[in-house]
Amino acid sequence: MNDTKRVMIFSGAGLSAESGLRTFRDSDGLWEEFDVMQVCSVKGFAKDRKKVLDFFDKRRIQLGEVSPNAAHRMIADLKEHYPKEVIVITQNVDDLLERAGCKDVIHLHGFLPEVYCESCKEVSNIGYKAMPKLTCQKCGKKSLRHNIVMFGEYAPYYATLDNELEKLKVANGLFVCIGTSGEVLNVAQFTRYAGKSVLNNLESSWFDEYFDVCFIESAVNAAPKIRKLVEEFIQA
Ligand code: APR
């Protein structure tokens, strides 16, 4: 196995759209219904803690009602067959990649099934339930919150992303980008770290031209084509 080959599979909300989870900026997106600064920002959380906790409770409960799709399974299969070559990084906070069997998923913006205590920093997985009565099991303080990176907060895993991009550059690797508008992370810039890049989105966007290959279709339809490109790249 040629272990100098590296493939970064980077994803956004579009990866989970066909599982029934809403994206953020599409026509029926979450940020069309909710004011992102009210329900997913440091300021909004300080202003109305309950509103924000309720917002994430509803999304956590809904997560328990949906299942992974063929695109999650494609990524999980590639990671299983090429554990050293394939790095899976997502902006998504859902656990659908894990439920498709994917190991070592790097979640840049947090993880919806988890809560953490602002007092003792204990992180616990509560599955798909509404948050228990806010009291931390470990320290007893009423300081539990969602383990999600809100706007205005530091995203600790961005350092890991930078590190993985540097490794991709050294390996002249393959960058695969699935289902993101690039509004928060500039995926067009990420193509500069790769020898080859593949984009899959439902609609065309300004950054299509930065990618060598573009599949402008649903992730489920593109999944077998993406798998083929990744396997050919690794086996070349
Ligand atoms: N298959 C593939 N792509 C899809 C599909 C689909 N079925 N449905 C939608 N898409 C694409 C859209 O074309 C769009 O490019 O998914 C993207 C969704 O964009 P956003 O809603 O902006 O989601 P995302 O890019 O993940 O947002 C990034 O913003 O609010 C923050 O923290 C939040 O992680 C999120 C970040």
Side-chain angles (χ1 to χ4, degrees), residues 113-117 122-127 137 144 147:
E114 290 174 345
V115 293
Y116 87 86
C117 172
E122 172 85 354
V123 173
S124 43
N125 189 313
I126 60 168
Q137 303 297 321
L144 279 185
N147 193 22

Side-chain angles (χ1 to χ4, degrees), residues 92-159:
N92 298 343
V93 295
D94 66 59
D95 64 345
L96 295 177
L97 280 164
E98 286 84 355
R99 282 158 64 189
C102 195
K103 300 267 186 292
D104 305 326
V105 179
I106 296 170
H107 286 273
L108 297 173
H109 295 157
F111 196 52
L112 192 52
E114 290 174 345
V115 293
Y116 87 86
C117 172
E118 290 183 297
S119 303
C120 69
K121 306 295 178 219
E122 172 85 354
V123 173
S124 43
N125 189 313
I126 60 168
Y128 311 116
K129 300 195 300 288
M131 196 175 298
K133 45 197 180 310
L134 307 186
T135 309
C136 172
Q137 303 297 321
K138 189 172 173 199
C139 73
K141 294 244 178 58
K142 278 191 180 304
S143 45
L144 279 185
R145 56 159 278 182
H146 44 297
N147 193 22
I148 302 277
V149 179
M150 297 189 289
F151 285 95
E153 288 186 309
Y154 172 63
Y157 283 100
Y158 281 9

Side-chain angles (χ1 to χ4, degrees), residues 31-204:
W31 299 157
E32 296 302 312
E33 181 183 347
F34 297 92
D35 174 343
V36 57
M37 287 306 151
Q38 282 186 8
V39 296
C40 193
S41 79
V42 172
K43 274 208 185 97
F45 193 42
K47 189 156 173 274
D48 189 340
R49 187 182 183 90
K50 184 175 177 331
K51 184 188 186 98
V52 174
L53 294 177
D54 287 351
F55 173 74
F56 285 104
D57 275 350
K58 283 196 184 74
R59 288 180 62 201
R60 191 176 309 107
I61 290 164
Q62 193 217 2
L63 181 55
E65 295 155 5
V66 299
S67 310
N69 62 53
H72 295 109
R73 288 191 289 276
M74 175 271 292
I75 295 171
D77 286 352
L78 287 172
K79 180 64 180 171
E80 185 186 357
H81 287 99
Y82 306 102
K84 285 202 302 184
E85 292 83 354
V86 172
I87 313 294
V88 179
I89 300 181
T90 186
Q91 298 171 99
N92 298 343
V93 295
D94 66 59
D95 64 345
L96 295 177
L97 280 164
E98 286 84 355
R99 282 158 64 189
C102 195
K103 300 267 186 292
D104 305 326
V105 179
I106 296 170
H107 286 273
L108 297 173
H109 295 157
F111 196 52
L112 192 52
E114 290 174 345
V115 293
Y116 87 86
C117 172
E118 290 183 297
S119 303
C120 69
K121 306 295 178 219
E122 172 85 354
V123 173
S124 43
N125 189 313
I126 60 168
Y128 311 116
K129 300 195 300 288
M131 196 175 298
K133 45 197 180 310
L134 307 186
T135 309
C136 172
Q137 303 297 321
K138 189 172 173 199
C139 73
K141 294 244 178 58
K142 278 191 180 304
S143 45
L144 279 185
R145 56 159 278 182
H146 44 297
N147 193 22
I148 302 277
V149 179
M150 297 189 289
F151 285 95
E153 288 186 309
Y154 172 63
Y157 283 100
Y158 281 9
T160 306
L161 171 64
D162 291 344
N163 188 14
E164 288 300 338
L165 285 168
E166 287 305 328
K167 287 188 208 168
L168 198 68
K169 187 174 186 128
V170 168
N172 198 29
L174 173 66
F175 176 57
V176 177
C177 183
I178 301 174
T180 184
S181 62
E183 285 289 316
V184 171
L185 286 166
N186 187 345
V187 292
Q189 288 305 314
F190 297 173
T191 61
R192 289 183 25 238
Y193 292 85
K196 186 170 179 186
S197 53
V198 178
L199 175 67
N200 164 227
N201 262 333
L202 199 58
E203 292 108 27
S204 283

